[in-house]
Amino acid sequence: MLAAKLRDRRACLVLPQYADDLFVCETIALHPLVLSNGPELTSKWIISTGQGHQVKPVLPGKWSKVSYEDNSLPSEAASSITPAIADAFVPVEVVADALLSAVERLGADQPPAVGIMLSSGVDSALIAELVARSMKQITVKSFTVGHNGGDPEIEGARLTALALGLEHHELFLEPSEFTRLLPEAMWAMENPGGYDEYPCLFGLCEMAGLHVDVLFSGNLSDTLFGGMNFHTQLWKSLNGRPTDEESAPNGSLTILKGSASGTRATLRTRSPSHGSLHAELVATMDRRDERMGAQEMLAARFGIDLRMPYADTHVVRTAMRIPDSQKVNDKGNKLILRQASAIFLPEEIVKRPKRIQQLMYDSAMRTWLLTTFDLLFNSAAAQKRDVYDYGNLALVREDLVREVTRSTVQNAWKAISIETWLRMFADEEHFARAISDESVKPEAVFSPASP
């Protein structure tokens, strides 16, 4: 594991993207990796180790200028390339050109085997079409994961692949397969975060690794163009429209000792935290979001180079110049992106709504969660750890037994993820065996004999 290899030293890695930009990528374990595009830097500071200061990770849309004296470790001062104020109007063609240019840059090496993570929505469909246009000498492959029960994501992606002439691959998963996929994904990411999205993406990357070396993703589009339900609700609230009720963010049950007593989710109307959608999106770009890094690590597990055109700095700059009125209104969201997509895509793809890519939260999911929950928390190892509030753990289980909802599934999932991560990385004996013996598989943490 990279964390183990770098345990006793700090390392800063400098890599080029553009000739005049410096980017700081997110941390691997506790060791910041610095991405730089300056040729002067790459020639004089490829890798530095020692007692230098830590460099703060910077998200897409950020830049960091480095200066140095006497060959010392560079000092760092971060700034944002995200405009604080949007333009009055941005032509649709500017968005289309920015995305096309990003795809062409990312595909300039003309890799022989290329794929796309394909959903039912317009974000990934647009990238798939642009990739196909820029790499006409190959057949682009597409990959989708979901359940085999009328999954709208599976069906929508299948229609998109057919319309665009992609070589399409589908992966159908059952909750029982998370016994392998959850610890595998967690071992690859070294992170307990996320819900069933990450094990599903692990399975997708595992399948894609049999066919491609490069995989494109439509990730970050919703953040840039206001594509999330919360963005729609924020627009409604700011414009005096009735908003949908949603679960309060503090409605989850805390399971660790010393946390607040258990509470159940309540429905409420969200009040706007910013005075405009643009301000909300800028704030989102300023917050650390590990999902992009997680996707890259899952893909890397299978030797895949993940490429994300929406994270291209020119695309980020362009998207954050767009005023709210061109992103969301009473007719829908991601308006300008859909208009740009209409230049390249059939109308039925442009207007198709995107849904959350996840498995069904049903009785099969409940059965797997309860079985795994009981296996983990009835163990002597979990009780000896003495970090859990077993009263709240009992509430988590009771709620899931009573009903299967997004909230009850995710509360149980969070509890299982925390204990799974602790077994993998906090149990020193298991961790030592896992990194030294390749026959010790990640799913061993779900074995009754596991510590």
Side-chain angles (χ1 to χ4, degrees):
M1 304 295 290
L2 183 57
K5 294 176 182 176
L6 298 182
R7 188 181 304 280
D8 297 324
R9 62 177 180 151
R10 291 196 182 113
C12 296
L13 177 65
V14 183
L15 300 172
Q17 184 182 6
Y18 296 132
D20 58 351
D21 291 338
L22 170 69
F23 287 89
V24 183
C25 84
E26 61 184 274
T27 301
I28 301 295
L30 300 177
H31 310 278
L33 300 184
V34 182
L35 301 185
S36 166
N37 296 337
E40 184 177 13
L41 278 175
T42 56
S43 63
K44 293 188 177 180
W45 189 50
I46 297 300
I47 186 163
S48 300
T49 62
Q51 300 301 315
H53 69 279
Q54 298 237 350
V55 181
K56 181 181 178 182
V58 179
L59 294 172
K62 299 291 179 180
W63 61 276
S64 176
K65 186 174 290 185
V66 169
S67 61
Y68 60 92
E69 296 179 1
D70 302 326
N71 296 318
S72 61
L73 190 70
S75 61
E76 175 266 347
S79 299
S80 175
I81 62 167
T82 303
I85 301 175
D87 293 357
F89 178 80
V90 173
V92 172
E93 293 76 15
V94 171
V95 176
D97 289 345
L99 283 167
L100 179 58
S101 297
V103 169
E104 289 176 344
R105 280 194 295 271
L106 289 172
D109 57 341
Q110 293 293 304
V114 178
I116 175 79
M117 289 182 175
L118 191 65
S119 71
S120 65
V122 68
D123 312 9
S124 59
L126 176 56
I127 299 303
E129 173 62 16
L130 296 180
V131 169
R133 290 188 180 212
S134 64
M135 302 182 190
K136 295 180 180 178
Q137 77 282 7
I138 64 171
T139 298
V140 177
K141 300 172 175 63
S142 54
F143 303 91
T144 304
V145 60
H147 61 82
N148 191 14
D151 188 336
E153 278 292 275
I154 289 284
E155 294 176 351
R158 186 182 299 157
L159 291 172
T160 295
L162 181 63
L164 301 184
L166 308 176
E167 180 186 308
H168 193 51
H169 301 262
E170 298 173 344
L171 177 64
F172 301 110
L173 293 177
E174 298 293 335
S176 60
E177 294 177 78
F178 287 149
T179 300
R180 180 181 73 88
L181 294 175
L182 173 59
E184 286 274 15
M186 198 172 290
W187 185 252
M189 297 186 300
E190 303 184 16
N191 190 321
Y195 300 108
D196 53 315
E197 172 193 7
Y198 288 152
C200 286
L201 285 175
F202 182 92
L204 183 149
C205 290
E206 185 177 44
M207 173 177 63
L210 301 174
H211 302 275
V212 300
D213 304 311
V214 171
L215 194 60
F216 281 79
S217 167
N219 202 15
L220 197 65
S221 170
D222 285 336
T223 301
L224 295 177
F225 294 97
M228 300 176 185
N229 180 61
F230 167 60
H231 298 145
T232 300
Q233 303 309 315
L234 175 61
W235 180 88
K236 288 180 178 179
S237 179
L238 292 171
N239 288 273
R241 311 292 175 86
T243 59
D244 299 338
E245 290 185 327
E246 57 186 14
S247 294
N250 62 351
S252 61
L253 284 158
T254 55
I255 64 166
L256 299 179
K257 282 187 173 182
S259 302
S261 59
T263 58
R264 288 183 170 85
T266 57
L267 291 178
R268 70 181 184 95
T269 299
R270 186 191 288 263
S271 300
S273 54
H274 296 91
S276 67
L277 176 61
H278 180 78
E280 171 65 29
L281 299 181
V282 169
T284 300
M285 293 296 293
D286 283 339
R287 290 193 294 268
R288 182 173 167 82
D289 186 338
E290 296 183 341
R291 286 174 293 180
M292 291 176 63
Q295 283 196 16
E296 288 185 315
M297 295 178 79
L298 292 175
R301 168 68 177 76
F302 300 100
I304 296 173
D305 179 3
L306 188 67
R307 303 182 182 184
M308 294 177 279
Y310 290 107
D312 177 87
T313 51
H314 181 52
V315 173
V316 172
R317 290 188 184 102
T318 300
M320 300 307 288
R321 287 171 43 209
I322 300 169
D324 295 354
S325 59
Q326 288 185 271
K327 291 183 177 179
V328 180
N329 64 21
D330 54 359
K331 292 182 171 55
N333 60 16
K334 294 189 291 192
L335 299 175
I336 192 169
L337 181 64
R338 295 184 189 279
Q339 293 168 353
S341 300
I343 298 173
F344 305 101
L345 296 172
E347 183 179 9
E348 62 268 21
I349 297 178
V350 173
K351 292 186 176 181
R352 186 186 301 138
K354 181 181 178 179
R355 298 169 176 85
I356 297 175
Q357 198 160 22
Q358 64 181 37
L359 298 194
M360 293 181 68
Y361 289 173
D362 57 7
S363 60
M365 177 67 82
R366 172 164 54 188
T367 297
W368 181 81
L369 288 169
L370 290 174
T371 301
T372 307
F373 188 96
D374 291 344
L375 172 67
L376 294 177
F377 292 105
N378 290 341
S379 68
Q383 295 171 22
K384 182 180 179 181
R385 218 183 296 285
D386 196 32
V387 297
Y388 298 114
D389 183 326
Y390 269 84
N392 280 359
L393 278 173
L395 287 176
V396 169
R397 193 184 192 286
E398 290 170 9
D399 285 352
L400 182 60
V401 169
R402 186 180 65 254
E403 61 179 342
V404 182
T405 66
R406 184 178 183 83
S407 176
T408 63
V409 165
Q410 292 188 348
N411 282 337
W413 189 282
K414 283 185 285 189
I416 288 170
S417 293
I418 290 172
E419 176 59 18
T420 302
W421 187 90
L422 287 171
R423 287 185 175 214
M424 280 186 166
F425 296 102
D427 289 338
E428 293 184 2
E429 182 179 347
H430 173 84
F431 181 74
R433 286 191 296 114
I435 63 172
S436 62
D437 185 352
E438 293 184 358
S439 68
V440 179
K441 302 300 182 184
E443 62 263 32
V445 297
F446 287 158
S447 168
S450 182

